[in-house]
Amino acid sequence: MSPRRQPEQQAPPVQRLRVQYAKRGRARFASSRDFSRALERALRRAEIPMAFSSGFSPHPRISYANAAPTGAATEAEYLELGLAAVLDPDEVRDQLNAAMPDGLVIVRVVPAAPGALAERLTASRWEMVLDGADAAALAAAVADLLAAEQVEVERMTKTGLRRFDVRRAVISLIAAGDRLELVSAIGEPLVRPDDVVQALQLLRPELRTGNPPLLTRLEHGFWDGERILDPLGG
């Protein structure tokens, strides 16, 4: 028997770029897999020289970090690209935007700074609109949540039904009419904005209007104890 052929070893990336992208309009319904497919098609169309992983099934070196849930709009999603040649980041942004579907927008491309991208993503700021919610009931639910030591919710995950505390992830929560502004910590388990809405509805059942909340991630970066810092800021 002949020895098994070893996979070709790919060269390491020559350049690493970090990318901020947005999902706007109907593109908020694109899943993480939908986005990754659209991005890989755009990279091919734009003829961006990607570095590839080694192994029997090489794939382009793309690292994603803390993607927003399907159905949420977002202005602040991040990923990292490993390139096989050095390119101008602004040209990469423009070439990708020319090839991306409507609603999926490359906001910024910058050279990668040292350290892991995920370590720079510890908090998010969200706008949440609860259409049809009574403003007084919503404000009361927010006050109840912030006063509580623990508020648990359940969500089905890949490993089954999971129960976890929402309160520990809430850094700040402000109600104004039927709108909420949430700043939440990113941890394990990951508390999503719809989990916070579920917690508010548990505290005040009259908030269950039957309308899904409209969620938009406005910021996503490093929480320094007072504010969210830009993860691409160096």
Side-chain angles (χ1 to χ4, degrees), residues 146-166:
L146 294 178
E149 293 186 3
Q150 177 177 294
V151 180
E152 291 189 331
V153 301
E154 292 182 341
R155 172 162 39 90
M156 186 61 69
T157 68
K158 294 179 181 179
T159 58
L161 189 64
R162 189 167 186 181
R163 187 173 184 86
F164 50 91
D165 178 26
V166 164

Side-chain angles (χ1 to χ4, degrees), residues 129-135 138 177-178 206-212:
V129 180
L130 278 63
D131 186 34
D134 178 76
L138 188 57
D178 63 353
E206 62 267 35
L207 294 175
R208 294 175 180 151
T209 64
N211 300 319

Side-chain angles (χ1 to χ4, degrees), residues 21-184:
Y21 66 94
K23 295 197 300 182
R24 299 169 179 165
R26 292 189 61 81
R28 70 183 185 273
F29 296 112
S31 67
S32 297
R33 181 172 293 183
D34 293 334
F35 177 82
S36 66
R37 289 172 176 167
L39 176 64
E40 290 186 25
R41 285 196 297 267
L43 289 166
R44 290 194 296 270
R45 290 172 183 166
E47 298 183 345
I48 304 297
M50 293 297 297
F52 282 77
S53 64
S54 298
F56 288 103
S57 300
H59 57 271
R61 290 188 177 271
I62 307 172
S63 299
Y64 298 92
N66 297 332
T70 302
T74 175
E75 292 296 318
E77 301 298 289
Y78 297 95
L79 59 86
E80 185 170 295
L81 301 174
L83 272 56
V86 177
L87 300 181
D88 178 83
D90 290 341
E91 290 184 5
V92 173
R93 177 200 62 208
D94 294 344
Q95 291 168 4
L96 287 177
N97 274 327
M100 292 290 280
D102 291 344
L104 298 178
V105 180
I106 305 300
V107 178
R108 284 188 295 164
V109 179
V110 302
L117 176 59
E119 293 177 356
R120 295 169 172 252
L121 302 173
T122 62
S124 293
R125 182 167 68 90
W126 295 86
E127 179 186 67
M128 305 187 293
V129 180
L130 278 63
D131 186 34
D134 178 76
L138 188 57
V142 168
D144 291 345
L145 177 63
L146 294 178
E149 293 186 3
Q150 177 177 294
V151 180
E152 291 189 331
V153 301
E154 292 182 341
R155 172 162 39 90
M156 186 61 69
T157 68
K158 294 179 181 179
T159 58
L161 189 64
R162 189 167 186 181
R163 187 173 184 86
F164 50 91
D165 178 26
V166 164
R167 178 63 186 91
R168 64 184 298 181
V170 175
I171 297 173
S172 68
L173 184 60
I174 301 171
D178 63 353
R179 294 175 180 266
L180 297 164
E181 182 177 288
L182 166 71
V183 177
S184 59

Side-chain angles (χ1 to χ4, degrees), residues 215-228:
L215 311 173
T216 304
R217 175 143 59 187
L218 302 175
E219 289 184 280
H220 190 194
F222 183 78
W223 179 252
D224 73 347
E226 296 182 356
R227 65 190 189 281
I228 296 175

